[in-house]
Amino acid sequence: MERYPHLKQTDPEIYELIRKQTNYESSTLKMIASESFVSFSVLEACGSILTNKYAEGYPEARYYEGNEFVDQIENLAINRAKQLFGAEHANVQPYSGSPANNAVYRALLKTGDKLMGMPVPNGGHLTHGWKVNFSGTDYVQIPYGPHPETGKFDMDQIRQIAKKERPKMIWVGATAYPHKIEYNDFAEIAQEIDAYLVADIAHINALIIAGVHPDPVPCCDIVSSTSHKMLRGPRAGFLLSKIEDRLQSKYFSDHKLNLAQRVDRAVFPGLQGGPHLHIIAGMAAAFQEALTQEFKNYGVQIVKNAKRLADSLLAKGYYLAGGGTDTHLMILDFRNENFTGKDAAKALAKSGIIANFNMVPGDPRSPFVTSGVRLGTQSLTTMGMKETDMEKVAGWIHRVCQNITRIDEESPKIRQEIADFCSQFQIPGITKP
Ligand SMILES: *Cc1c(COP(=O)(O)O)cnc(C)c1O
């Protein structure tokens, strides 16, 4: 089947690079914990003529005419999001995860307010108050993080910080936390200090849908997410929230809007203009897929695969931050090695294992090299890999790490073995119809 026949003709340079990237993605092990493969259906919706349409506003309340069909599309996306997560309200317009989080700030805080969040080196996201991000320059981050020794949240310590600093909002969510997050414990603290609790589930939404991770929706004021990580949707963000604001009288007594309305206003017109309807259609298609039993099985398998990969690596003598995983991700801890996380990530990539270097709790090395490598199993699971395949993956990782000083010699062999291995699997959006 000839893909992209028009592009091939009009813009061979871009066509050729897409073709190369497709081959690269289908012949390597995609272990970046925040990536995935979307289905052909999602690709078709995202590549549709819906990209032509302007529809500033919300369904049935637009500033442009001609929205009969796009209103129905956005409503489908909203209703599927609500159904999928059991949420009272959903906004599907954020262009990505960071704009979604920006809208959370605009809905809940005033510039200069305090929030509690994890600094990036602790596993937080840039938008949780990190100093180089708007969230760190316009608001005041009170930092917290996993305990440097156990790698897990110490709720007594977190409660102590919260009671002392009294932030108006607490972010709970991470880019590199391998353990389950007990949102109820955070909710208790938020109640005690009259703070909003916001969960950022960008990394783990499929695990929540599958029921293998605690659910933040019942106990959080707002839940923010991306749709392009393990949810296997387009590159975008969405926000789930309660309708009523339990803290309105304390912080917004002169305000007539409820929480859901404040979230919507913060996204549009607060931060964005026209919604990306082709992406919203892709999101609706991804939500539809996520409502199936097959998707729940996928969520369960992601964790089974991660646990087997972790056990195989531990058995080979590797250290993992926090001792292992009960999510999709783990962080190889190379603090005792004479190579850095960056050295390892580069050697792995040369060999066909694509991951990223990452800080480990208590990392003595700089964030530009680090002592860790983050690995996620959601894309391999999407390809159809099972526990025994994870043992093979652990074997290749081990070979790379053992041969790191002579990687130029060893990597072509491993790269070829991995390409052969990958060709046995069907990849959504690439080979699987
Ligand atoms: C990926 C991620 C985001 C932001 O996503 P972008 O779409 O890259 O802006 C926000 N929060 C967390 C926890 C993430 O992992």
Side-chain angles (χ1 to χ4, degrees), residues 58-312:
Y58 288 101
E60 291 93 46
R62 306 284 193 187
Y63 293 84
Y64 290 74
E65 295 310 314
N67 295 302
E68 183 183 347
F69 307 114
V70 298
D71 275 5
Q72 294 177 51
I73 288 169
E74 186 167 343
N75 278 330
L76 276 171
I78 290 169
N79 290 330
R80 288 174 187 173
K82 282 160 61 175
Q83 192 189 343
L84 194 52
F85 292 95
E88 293 177 17
H89 178 73
N91 186 307
V92 296
Q93 292 196 2
Y95 298 147
S96 207
S98 301
N101 287 355
N102 197 344
V104 169
Y105 285 87
R106 310 279 298 196
L108 299 183
L109 305 187
K110 290 190 195 71
T111 313
D113 277 348
K114 276 191 203 175
L115 64 117
M116 230 167 113
M118 288 205 287
V120 168
N122 291 3
H125 189 259
L126 287 167
T127 54
H128 297 178
W130 188 234
K131 51 199 172 193
V132 297
N133 185 258
F134 79 89
S135 59
T137 54
D138 298 2
Y139 305 88
V140 179
Q141 185 200 54
I142 308 301
Y144 74 97
H147 194 280
E149 268 145 45
T150 62
K152 295 187 179 170
F153 290 136
D154 172 345
M155 294 315 295
D156 292 336
Q157 188 197 32
I158 291 170
R159 173 175 271 104
Q160 239 173 35
I161 300 171
K163 290 209 148 159
K164 174 160 174 272
E165 299 286 350
R166 302 210 147 249
K168 198 161 145 191
M169 168 172 85
I170 302 174
W171 274 113
V172 53
T175 62
Y177 187 68
H179 308 292
K180 286 183 184 164
I181 297 176
E182 300 297 342
Y183 299 103
N184 283 326
D185 296 347
F186 281 88
E188 259 179 40
I189 296 174
Q191 295 260 355
E192 285 164 24
I193 61 163
D194 280 347
Y196 290 104
L197 182 62
V198 184
D200 184 341
I201 61 167
H203 255 270
I204 51 170
N205 44 29
L207 307 184
I208 293 164
I209 292 165
V212 291
H213 190 283
D215 181 0
V217 174
C219 67
C220 292
D221 298 288
I222 302 180
V223 174
S224 171
S225 187
T226 55
S227 64
H228 52 274
K229 298 183 184 175
M230 61 167 65
L231 192 52
R232 304 194 298 207
R235 196 153 282 278
F238 61 95
L239 293 167
L240 309 168
S241 81
K242 296 276 192 290
I243 291 172
E244 295 310 326
D245 180 348
R246 72 188 163 83
L247 297 172
Q248 182 119 357
S249 57
K250 183 171 168 98
Y251 295 120
F252 293 94
S253 49
D254 56 342
H255 214 290
K256 290 186 194 63
L257 304 180
N258 64 30
L259 184 61
Q261 289 164 328
R262 285 213 313 279
V263 166
D264 285 351
R265 294 266 176 112
V267 175
F268 174 87
L271 288 162
Q272 299 187 169
H276 294 179
L277 291 154
H278 56 309
I279 300 299
I280 289 173
M283 212 188 253
F287 290 151
Q288 174 88 310
E289 292 173 7
L291 282 161
T292 60
Q293 183 58 41
E294 200 186 343
F295 189 89
K296 290 203 174 81
N297 299 345
Y298 154 68
V300 171
Q301 190 64 42
I302 292 173
V303 179
K304 283 189 187 166
N305 284 350
K307 283 188 185 294
R308 182 64 67 86
L309 180 62
D311 288 346
S312 309

Side-chain angles (χ1 to χ4, degrees), residues 288-433:
Q288 174 88 310
E289 292 173 7
L291 282 161
T292 60
Q293 183 58 41
E294 200 186 343
F295 189 89
K296 290 203 174 81
N297 299 345
Y298 154 68
V300 171
Q301 190 64 42
I302 292 173
V303 179
K304 283 189 187 166
N305 284 350
K307 283 188 185 294
R308 182 64 67 86
L309 180 62
D311 288 346
S312 309
L313 290 166
L314 291 168
K316 292 183 192 310
Y318 290 90
Y319 293 96
L320 296 174
T325 181
D326 37 38
T327 62
H328 61 307
L329 72 80
M330 66 208 71
I331 303 167
L332 275 163
D333 180 345
F334 296 127
R335 274 180 297 182
N336 293 334
E337 302 286 349
N338 50 20
F339 55 82
T340 66
K342 189 172 179 180
D343 295 333
K346 292 223 171 288
L348 286 163
K350 259 193 185 146
S351 313
I353 299 168
I354 317 305
N356 64 285
F357 59 90
N358 209 102
M359 299 291 268
V360 296
D363 203 322
R365 293 192 174 105
S366 97
F368 302 105
V369 294
T370 78
S371 300
V373 167
R374 187 182 68 162
L375 300 169
T377 55
Q378 72 294 337
S379 300
L380 305 189
T381 306
T382 295
M383 289 172 79
M385 292 188 199
K386 298 281 190 311
E387 288 95 319
T388 48
D389 301 309
M390 295 303 111
E391 291 169 10
K392 291 184 193 145
V393 172
W396 281 309
I397 292 170
H398 183 45
R399 244 167 86 197
V400 172
C401 293
Q402 276 185 315
N403 289 292
I404 214 151
T405 52
R406 47 184 291 277
I407 197 65
D408 286 337
E409 242 171 284
E410 192 65 15
S411 60
K413 286 177 267 175
I414 303 176
R415 178 83 177 75
Q416 187 57 50
E417 284 175 37
I418 286 177
D420 293 342
F421 179 66
C422 288
S423 69
Q424 300 166 24
F425 297 93
Q426 296 284 312
I427 307 177
I430 296 180
T431 53
K432 189 180 178 180

